[in-house]
Amino acid sequence: MPKIKIEGNHQLSGTIDVGGAKNSAVALIPAAILCDETVTISNVPNITDVDDLERILIHLNAKINRGENKVEISSENIINKEINEDLSKKLRASYYFMGALLGKFGKVEMYFPGGCAIGARPINLHLKGFELLGATITEEENHFTIEAEQLKGNNIYLDFPSVGATINIMLAAVKAKGKTIIENAAKEPEIVNVATFLNNMGAKIKGAGTSTIKITGVKYLHSCFHEVIPDRIEAGTYLIIASLIGKDLTISNIIPNHLEALIAKLNECGVEMEQGIDYIRVLEPKEYKATSIKTLVYPGFPTDLQQIMATFLTQCKGRSVIEETIYENRFLNLFELNKMGADTKVLANNQKAIIKGKTKLIGTEVNSTDLRGGASLLVAALIAEGTTTIDNIGYILRGYDKIVEKLSSVGAKIEII
Ligand code: EPU
């Protein structure tokens, strides 16, 4: 597997353009098969998760025409066959084919999805939703057959506002008979982006972005053109980089509102930034002070930025505390950060970590443990003294479009070896 090599401690100047949101794109692509005509999605990031979804579409005989950041998907000749274990396990978002195929054909056969090993990540809430819509589920050794003669709208309360379950239930319900109400739905911007896409095709979804989503089933979904929203996690990653080593670095093509929790925390630590409608600019790093963060569902502090924020906190004076409430195993990167000189400690229950700063980071060989863990090491490498080599970068390439090119263009000494 290739590695990323970074010579650290070079100031970064210029502008980084943020691409389309991974967690939106990976739902929009499976959602596209619900369309009875051809759909076009723009601002699609070039990441390996999208490559893996393309493989599933081809396996199902859908037609996919992929340009630089655009995909055209036509499902007229789609064949509803089992998605084999290899394809299902390639990524987490393969689970959106459960809702999409169930919604389109009333049947889906596939395996438990893959994704980063950051916790147990069950799909019980997705399955509960499908059952309440009238589907029966047969599970044998990670193989699922989910089928319904006729899906019928229902009231579905989610015990936890799961992003995946909310989207999957929307996909299954959009062509179901009657009205579905999802209570305690997730409110992430990606949910709104998917609902808007489905509405652009003629679906009737109201309330996306609030905790109650109402869906009235329709029979036909027509062609549309849709744009993926900017990736708030990619934006947040670059904003943290700008705060640490930017010299007039602008992060553009973003929706600053989607980053409120991160911006508030960075401000609290002492980061000074200029905010525009679609950009944030950091003039230079300052002396920062420690803080505490607790991950929560949107609009709380996003778990997907927690690991990258951990790197930031190694550069803040004092004792910072991170509390992870969404996943059970999202601190693996801290062991790698310690190899670079950080002073971090994961507490016994694995849900809290203490970071003492400010510590000098020194380049060494580290291992990417998962997507955002890999990004946290990459940020550490950019500010470290000397050269860092990051192994297992497949994780990083899953979610960051052209990361090496984007960072090189603002002055980073980074290469894939
Ligand atoms: N959960 C359940 N049962 C379910 C579904 C979820 O217990 O049926 C639990 C999970 O185990 C987890 C929590 O609920 O502890 C949150 O899970 P959620 O369903 O919200 O997350 P997800 O759909 O699996 C998506 C993103 C993640 C992101 C989370 C939270 C995709 C493909 N993945 O995951 O992205 O962390 O929402 O925002 O959209 C990443 O990008 O690095 C990433 C991991």
Side-chain angles (χ1 to χ4, degrees):
M1 167 151 333
K3 300 177 185 193
I4 284 180
K5 188 171 148 197
I6 296 175
E7 187 188 291
N9 213 8
H10 293 283
Q11 283 185 325
L12 308 182
S13 304
T15 301
I16 297 180
D17 281 332
V18 168
K22 162 179 108 57
N23 289 343
S24 238
V26 298
L28 293 169
I29 292 169
I33 68 164
L34 282 161
C35 185
D36 298 289
E37 299 172 9
T38 301
V39 290
T40 306
I41 309 172
S42 68
N43 203 28
V44 176
N46 261 311
I47 49 176
T48 56
D49 266 11
V50 170
D51 301 339
D52 290 330
L53 290 172
E54 182 179 1
R55 276 184 203 105
I56 298 179
L57 285 177
I58 292 168
H59 168 79
L60 295 172
N61 206 39
K63 223 171 111 192
I64 172 161
N65 192 352
R66 201 164 157 200
E68 172 62 8
N69 286 109
K70 209 187 236 184
V71 293
E72 206 180 77
I73 298 168
S74 164
S75 312
E76 276 151 18
N77 299 320
I78 197 166
I79 301 168
N80 187 20
K81 57 179 174 179
E82 182 199 80
I83 301 174
N84 63 44
E85 188 158 19
D86 191 39
L87 289 170
S88 303
K89 283 205 163 137
K90 273 276 185 286
L91 77 167
R92 187 81 193 150
S94 64
Y95 57 25
Y96 290 130
F97 282 99
M98 285 186 173
L101 286 171
L102 183 65
K104 191 174 180 85
F105 296 109
K107 182 170 178 185
V108 53
E109 274 191 88
M110 64 173 285
Y111 286 80
F112 195 82
C116 291
I118 49 180
R121 310 187 81 181
I123 57 165
N124 58 311
L125 298 172
H126 305 229
L127 301 177
K128 170 183 158 177
F130 299 147
E131 274 179 333
L132 284 168
L133 293 174
T136 52
I137 297 166
T138 318
E139 186 192 346
E140 265 173 59
E141 291 180 21
N142 283 336
H143 178 271
F144 293 85
T145 306
I146 309 170
E147 52 195 327
E149 238 165 61
Q150 166 76 70
L151 291 169
K152 289 198 187 91
N154 202 347
N155 284 13
I156 301 168
Y157 172 81
L158 296 180
D159 301 305
F160 179 86
S162 150
V163 171
T166 302
I167 293 179
N168 237 338
I169 295 167
M170 284 200 307
L171 300 183
V174 89
K175 283 183 164 179
K177 202 171 166 196
K179 196 167 186 174
T180 298
I181 300 179
I182 311 175
E183 296 280 13
N184 199 27
K187 295 187 277 199
E188 272 69 3
E190 292 74 22
I191 311 275
V192 180
N193 200 214
V194 175
T196 308
F197 177 50
L198 293 167
N199 283 344
N200 286 347
M201 289 188 224
K204 289 188 176 159
I205 304 175
K206 284 185 178 161
T210 75
S211 52
T212 305
I213 299 180
K214 294 181 181 159
I215 305 154
T216 307
V218 295
K219 287 207 171 113
Y220 190 85
L221 294 176
H222 55 73
S223 154
C224 78
F225 182 89
H226 186 73
E227 191 170 328
V228 182
I229 51 168
D231 194 312
R232 62 196 168 97
I233 308 303
E234 187 194 7
T237 304
Y238 291 129
L239 179 55
I240 288 172
I241 291 173
S243 307
L244 290 172
I245 195 131
K247 180 80 185 163
D248 196 355
L249 186 62
T250 299
I251 316 304
S252 77
N253 272 348
I254 64 171
I255 301 177
N257 270 355
H258 290 174
L259 288 164
E260 262 175 10
L262 174 69
I263 292 169
K265 279 292 157 184
L266 291 177
N267 284 339
E268 216 175 282
C269 296
V271 176
E272 287 175 15
M273 56 183 97
E274 174 193 315
Q275 256 188 72
I277 284 182
D278 64 351
Y279 73 89
I280 297 179
R281 177 178 178 209
V282 179
L283 282 181
E284 59 184 359
K286 306 269 175 202
E287 287 299 313
Y288 299 135
K289 55 177 192 289
T291 190
S292 295
I293 62 162
K294 181 175 181 174
T295 64
L296 289 169
V297 296
Y298 190 82
F301 194 92
T303 173
D304 295 343
L305 282 172
Q306 176 268 105
Q307 291 167 295
I308 301 144
M309 189 68 180
T311 303
F312 177 82
L313 295 175
T314 67
Q315 301 308 299
C316 296
K317 195 163 176 233
R319 180 179 181 270
S320 295
V321 181
I322 300 180
E323 199 178 334
E324 171 60 58
T325 74
I326 309 293
Y327 294 112
E328 303 87 355
N329 195 22
R330 218 172 192 185
F331 285 131
L332 291 174
N333 59 314
L334 296 186
F335 299 99
E336 301 297 308
L337 280 180
N338 286 352
K339 286 188 199 163
M340 297 177 75
D343 181 356
T344 78
K345 195 171 157 191
V346 179
L347 300 187
N349 69 1
N350 225 12
Q351 297 308 113
K352 248 189 197 177
I354 309 290
I355 298 179
K356 287 189 190 149
K358 170 180 182 176
T359 46
K360 187 171 188 171
L361 301 181
I362 314 257
T364 184
E365 280 190 22
V366 285
N367 192 22
S368 185
T369 51
D370 53 83
L371 164 57
R372 308 300 172 187
S376 93
L377 299 174
L378 194 142
V379 176
L382 288 171
I383 57 172
E385 207 179 280
T387 301
T388 303
T389 313
I390 307 174
D391 209 344
N392 267 327
I393 60 160
Y395 284 120
I396 301 175
L397 303 179
R398 242 181 186 171
Y400 289 90
D401 187 4
K402 297 189 204 77
I403 188 160
V404 171
E405 292 86 337
K406 287 184 185 185
L407 287 169
S408 299
S409 77
V410 292
K413 303 282 175 251
I414 174 170
E415 58 177 328
I416 293 191
I417 52 169

